[in-house]
Amino acid sequence: MQGNTHIIGGITASLAFAQVSNDNPLVLVGAGVIGALLPDICHGGSKIGRKFPIISKIVNTLFGHRSFTHSVLFLFLVVMLLHTFIPYESISIGILLGMASHIFLDMGTKKGVKLFFPVSISVRLPFTTKTGSKAEKVVSMLLTMLSIYFSYEIIVKLIDTV
């Protein structure tokens, strides 16, 4: 999936979680966007890879694309780092939601992800698409519609409390 689809996925996941939590939706969404881009640090052409080219090159050289940074192991390590260094739970939750949405969306590509890295088995959804295809544009549109819906629910709740 492309960066914009991942961003929308992170926003949607964060807004969906905001429906059932007392966390600040703006904090969740901001952190969700960061988390949605983070797994692609392994790809030099990605949005985050272009911002941090040296780190991206190192991670790609060590692990390749869609392996370690798209795995349960990476999620676990990030949870541990966030728990240790970030005192705000909303930020940590948002980052993890964004990362999880990224990994799930990439499971919808033909290549899939190495979800159980270091085991080299690729995991993918039963339905897949090619990155940048018309099907991805449909997924992006559906995620956008869900984000608008969840945003509306949050706005209504805010108005009701005023």
Side-chain angles (χ1 to χ4, degrees):
M1 298 284 168
Q2 296 179 321
N4 290 337
T5 304
H6 285 304
I7 289 170
I8 295 167
I11 291 169
T12 304
S14 299
L15 288 171
F17 183 78
Q19 300 295 307
V20 297
S21 78
N22 291 323
D23 294 292
N24 183 321
L26 294 176
V27 172
L28 286 171
V29 168
V33 168
I34 293 166
L37 296 174
L38 186 59
D40 271 346
I41 192 66
C42 62
H43 183 358
S46 69
K47 289 181 184 295
I48 193 167
R50 290 190 307 268
K51 293 285 183 194
F52 302 99
I54 295 170
I55 295 170
S56 179
K57 181 70 173 171
I58 292 168
V59 173
N60 186 279
T61 301
L62 290 173
F63 304 108
H65 183 49
R66 291 191 185 157
S67 62
F68 171 64
T69 62
H70 288 66
S71 70
V72 175
L73 175 61
F74 186 63
L75 276 172
F76 176 76
L77 291 174
V78 171
V79 165
M80 298 308 291
L81 287 170
L82 291 171
H83 181 71
T84 303
F85 296 107
I86 305 294
Y88 304 105
E89 192 173 278
S90 294
I91 293 172
S92 298
I93 291 169
I95 289 171
L96 295 171
L97 288 167
M99 289 176 63
S101 73
H102 180 113
I103 293 167
F104 180 77
L105 287 169
D106 276 355
M107 286 170 59
T109 62
K110 294 182 187 306
K111 185 178 175 187
V113 300
K114 305 284 192 258
L115 188 62
F116 303 109
F117 180 87
V119 177
S120 63
I121 297 168
S122 288
V123 177
R124 61 184 192 181
L125 299 173
F127 49 90
T128 61
T129 186
K130 186 176 177 186
T131 300
S133 68
K134 289 181 183 179
E136 180 180 346
K137 289 178 180 31
V138 170
V139 168
S140 184
M141 180 188 65
L142 292 172
L143 289 170
T144 300
M145 290 171 34
L146 277 172
S147 289
I148 291 168
Y149 172 76
F150 291 136
S151 295
Y152 175 79
E153 293 290 316
I154 290 168
I155 291 168
V156 168
K157 284 180 184 177
L158 285 173
I159 291 171
D160 286 344
T161 60
V162 174

